[in-house]
Amino acid sequence: MKFNHIFLSVALSAALMGGFTSCDDFLAEDPYAFVGPDQVGNDNAAVNLWVTGVYSKWANDMFRWQNFPRVLEMDCDYTSGPDWAFSNLGAGNFQGDEVADAVWKGCYSLINRANVALNYVNQITGADEKVKANAIGELKFNKAFAYFMLTKAYGDIPMFDVAISEGASYEQPRRPIAEVYAEIIRLLEEAIPVMYKNTDADFQEGHVAQGAAAGLLAKVYATMASGSMTAGEEMIVKTGASYEFNNGEKVLVLPTSKTFKKTQVAGYESFDTKDCYTKAAQYAKDVMDGKYGSYDLLPYDELWKRSNYNKTEHMFMLQTLNNDEEYGNTIHRWFSGTENAQGLIQQGQWIGNRYHWYTLFDSKDYRITKGVKHRFRYSYQASDNYGFYYPNTPEYKLMATGYDENGNKVADPVAPYNDGVQYTFNVSSSTLAYSTKYSDVTDPTVERSDAY
């Protein structure tokens, strides 16, 4: 059974495992009166239901309310958009609103739900042992992933070995970063050998498999290695102001190279950089060599098509449902824009990358030639028959308008700009390097799409 089809059961699993009600007890799992954990069953289907209930926390608690992954996107030097979209977080105030809560509360809710599921799955006696073992591996993966996000964001963090409902105290001390990483590694190392490979007959598409856990472990070791590198290492970074004013006109400028000296990340001092990089490389190589299943790189044109979701290159994707209040998400709306019946953006497309990011790539690099929108129209432009082109380089200006960089009309617009629309460019949050990554959805006119 495919995971995106299991969502028919999620209403039950969400009901039996409850939700959080306040800042003080958001880790408490209170089942509804009509069904409780003891009524889920004692077979393979019950095991799958518990696992599905854990996955549902990704969609419901983190992605449902638009705050996640905004908290991650806003901490990127190249991300841009209208001021209001970045809230207090964009100004560096991580305590100013609820956006930051999506990581803290969402991850701990995921951990607690996984602990609840681990307890009950271990008690199931009527399921096949390989089904139980795989489920336990998936649950440990979810815990490890949550701890990984938390410690990267907050450093020393509390850890919960068992659920609140099983006696864990809310008052857990923060544990050192080294202890958190040790727990992450333990969970993943225990998960890998008992999980299905994505080539196994019993593997369910949309779930994590051995390769996802091994891939995450490679990323964990690489992160430990990077953070533990000693201070003083020099690196050249392209940076600087993204625009300047010329005779009162806002003009985009190219980044400049600047040398920085690395500082060692606090809490990472005890890690052996070389050993961590060696282990990261080995796990990555093992994934590439097929030790943990079948994985490969997709052609760029195929990478973000719905037909290739959950395939080869995608190790773990959040499963979603089109136009569903709980399991649809607003990623498409924020990054691609919700369209009207004419295909014009009527709301959204608020977050993009600034020109500095765009210039980091060779002009023929697929990440900008295919990964960025070069032509788009908002609904307010329809009455005047306008549209935008991007970027405002001589190449795209000539293609979109027929004018050269000196303002001389030298040709007619070429496809796809020769559709009778007048294309223009301005330096504003309406014309950024918008990603095509989340464009392929079942229905671009709905607010909550099925972008994975």
Side-chain angles (χ1 to χ4, degrees):
M1 184 183 299
K2 295 183 179 180
F3 181 59
N4 48 332
H5 294 161
I6 299 177
F7 274 113
L8 295 173
S9 304
V10 167
L12 173 61
S13 64
L16 65 91
M17 286 177 272
F20 41 75
T21 57
S22 73
C23 293
D24 294 329
D25 62 357
F26 73 87
L27 291 179
E29 297 281 357
D30 298 322
Y32 288 86
F34 61 85
V35 61
D38 295 331
Q39 299 169 284
V40 177
N42 189 43
D43 53 15
N44 290 348
V47 171
N48 288 331
L49 193 57
W50 281 111
V51 174
T52 301
V54 173
Y55 282 115
S56 72
K57 280 295 184 183
W58 285 94
N60 203 338
D61 286 349
M62 285 188 263
F63 281 85
R64 183 180 182 185
W65 306 114
Q66 307 183 41
N67 291 330
F68 187 90
R70 287 172 65 195
V71 65
L72 304 180
E73 293 294 329
M74 293 174 189
D75 195 28
C76 172
D77 290 341
Y78 295 117
T79 300
S80 190
D83 292 344
W84 63 264
F86 289 80
S87 68
N88 290 296
L89 201 68
N93 180 6
F94 281 72
Q95 304 298 323
D97 53 38
E98 63 184 8
V99 175
D101 287 349
V103 171
W104 183 265
K105 288 186 177 180
C107 286
Y108 276 116
S109 183
L110 180 65
I111 291 165
N112 192 68
R113 176 68 64 85
N115 281 332
V116 172
L118 281 166
N119 176 55
Y120 282 98
V121 168
N122 275 314
Q123 295 180 40
I124 291 176
T125 59
D128 296 339
E129 284 304 313
K130 66 176 183 178
V131 173
K132 282 183 60 175
N134 174 72
I136 289 169
E138 291 189 56
L139 297 174
K140 289 181 177 180
F141 171 94
N142 277 273
K143 283 187 66 175
F145 204 145
Y147 280 137
F148 186 44
M149 287 193 291
L150 284 165
T151 196
K152 286 194 299 178
Y154 296 100
D156 297 349
I157 59 169
M159 290 194 294
F160 292 82
D161 296 327
V162 297
I164 296 297
S165 58
E166 299 304 313
S169 170
Y170 288 107
E171 304 298 328
Q172 295 290 335
R174 289 182 180 266
R175 307 279 284 277
I177 289 173
E179 290 186 25
V180 180
Y181 273 103
E183 175 67 359
I184 293 169
I185 292 169
R186 181 190 70 82
L187 288 167
L188 292 174
E189 287 181 340
E190 292 179 358
I192 290 172
V194 300
M195 294 171 70
Y196 297 136
K197 295 179 181 179
N198 63 355
T199 52
D200 291 344
D202 293 322
F203 170 70
Q204 298 183 60
E205 186 178 281
H207 285 236
V208 291
Q210 279 189 20
L216 179 57
L217 196 47
K219 187 179 178 92
V220 167
Y221 275 121
T223 303
M224 295 165 64
S226 175
S228 63
M229 289 178 66
T230 56
E233 293 282 344
E234 290 190 346
M235 60 194 74
I236 299 174
V237 178
K238 288 188 175 181
T239 183
S242 58
Y243 61 86
E244 61 185 21
F245 286 96
N246 186 1
N247 295 325
E249 181 183 357
K250 193 175 184 181
V251 180
L252 296 176
V253 296
L254 295 174
T256 56
S257 296
K258 186 175 180 180
T259 300
F260 292 87
K261 288 188 176 182
K262 185 189 182 299
T263 57
Q264 190 175 51
V265 180
Y268 286 67
E269 300 88 352
S270 64
F271 301 142
D272 184 322
T273 302
K274 183 176 180 180
D275 180 63
C276 288
Y277 270 133
T278 300
K279 290 176 178 175
Q282 186 61 56
Y283 273 107
K285 184 178 186 302
D286 287 344
V287 171
M288 294 166 65
D289 290 346
K291 180 177 179 179
Y292 301 110
S294 178
Y295 298 94
D296 200 358
L297 299 181
L298 289 163
Y300 195 91
D301 287 344
E302 303 296 320
L303 181 57
W304 299 113
K305 288 185 177 179
R306 292 192 55 75
S307 57
N308 282 316
Y309 282 0
N310 295 318
K311 301 291 190 296
T312 63
E313 189 167 344
H314 301 297
M315 290 181 161
F316 175 45
M317 306 185 80
L318 174 67
Q319 313 300 292
T320 58
L321 290 176
N322 182 62
N323 203 25
D324 187 273
E325 180 61 30
E326 287 190 64
Y327 300 107
N329 66 57
T330 58
I331 297 293
H332 174 269
R333 182 189 187 198
W334 278 77
F335 290 86
S336 301
T338 305
E339 300 176 3
N340 60 21
Q342 290 71 45
L344 306 183
I345 300 167
Q346 61 179 355
Q347 192 173 34
Q349 190 169 272
W350 296 308
I351 303 298
N353 285 323
R354 60 192 180 111
Y355 187 56
H356 269 202
W357 172 86
Y358 190 94
T359 62
L360 297 178
F361 303 94
D362 179 89
S363 62
K364 302 302 180 184
D365 193 304
Y366 282 172
R367 286 170 290 184
I368 57 173
T369 60
K370 299 176 183 291
V372 168
K373 288 186 178 184
H374 294 282
R375 169 178 166 269
F376 45 90
R377 300 182 67 200
Y378 297 95
S379 57
Y380 65 79
Q381 295 176 302
S383 59
D384 295 323
N385 199 36
Y386 275 85
F388 286 122
Y389 70 89
Y390 187 91
N392 192 30
T393 60
E395 176 188 8
Y396 280 95
K397 182 177 182 179
L398 180 62
M399 288 194 298
T401 68
Y403 285 85
D404 65 17
E405 55 187 315
N406 297 316
N408 301 312
K409 179 75 173 181
V410 296
D412 291 325
V414 299
Y417 304 101
N418 58 350
D419 57 357
V421 174
Q422 184 173 345
Y423 289 95
T424 185
F425 176 89
N426 65 29
V427 181
S428 73
S429 60
S430 296
T431 48
L432 299 170
Y434 295 112
S435 175
T436 60
K437 181 176 179 179
Y438 301 107
S439 296
D440 188 10
V441 294
T442 298
D443 185 355
T445 67
V446 299
E447 178 180 338
R448 292 188 175 275
S449 76
D450 52 0
Y452 276 26

